[in-house]
Amino acid sequence: MNPICADNADDIILRACAKADELGVAACIAVVDNGAHLKAFRRMDGAFIGAVDVAQRKARTSALFPLGSGEFGQVIADQQLTGMELSNGGLAAFHGGLPIMDGDTAVGAIGVSGGSAEQDLEIARYALGMDAMQ
């Protein structure tokens, strides 16, 4: 499994920032590799300081459990896994994190924080070249 390269991570950050600007959201964007280690990060001007950690947690969640962080939250609720989000150094159980896939292989993840959960997901999807919402 090949982790995401630095140039790809930087490109993802730039696309996320462009979409955040379009939506009028000052966001924090984190890109991690397949081991959930930070590869690239941007805190846009005006983004809340607290969003730094949240973006990284969303990315870590989607790298360690290769599904959207909002889907991860739904699994926690459906399976009554109270406290699961406290594992692995702290995870996020709401929208804004997505795995970065190369075919069927997760090579990293993105986490976005700064807007509503729906806006964060829209930014992440755009950054990965996915349609706005499903």
Side-chain angles (χ1 to χ4, degrees), residues 13-95:
I13 294 278
L14 290 175
R15 286 193 301 271
C17 288
K19 186 63 172 181
D21 280 338
E22 178 185 313
L23 296 174
V25 173
C28 290
I29 303 108
V31 175
V32 299
D33 64 17
N34 57 355
H37 303 287
L38 191 62
K39 194 72 175 183
F41 181 82
R42 170 82 49 90
R43 177 176 172 236
M44 296 175 67
D45 292 341
F48 295 112
I49 294 171
V52 171
D53 182 60
V54 175
Q56 291 181 48
R57 286 175 188 257
K58 288 178 181 184
R60 184 170 48 249
T61 301
S62 290
L64 296 175
F65 300 90
L67 68 162
S69 56
E71 294 169 272
F72 177 76
Q74 192 61 55
V75 169
I76 291 172
D78 291 347
Q79 299 297 314
Q80 300 178 1
L81 300 173
T82 304
M84 180 68 170
E85 68 278 4
L86 303 175
S87 71
N88 293 288
L91 303 172
F94 42 91
H95 290 305

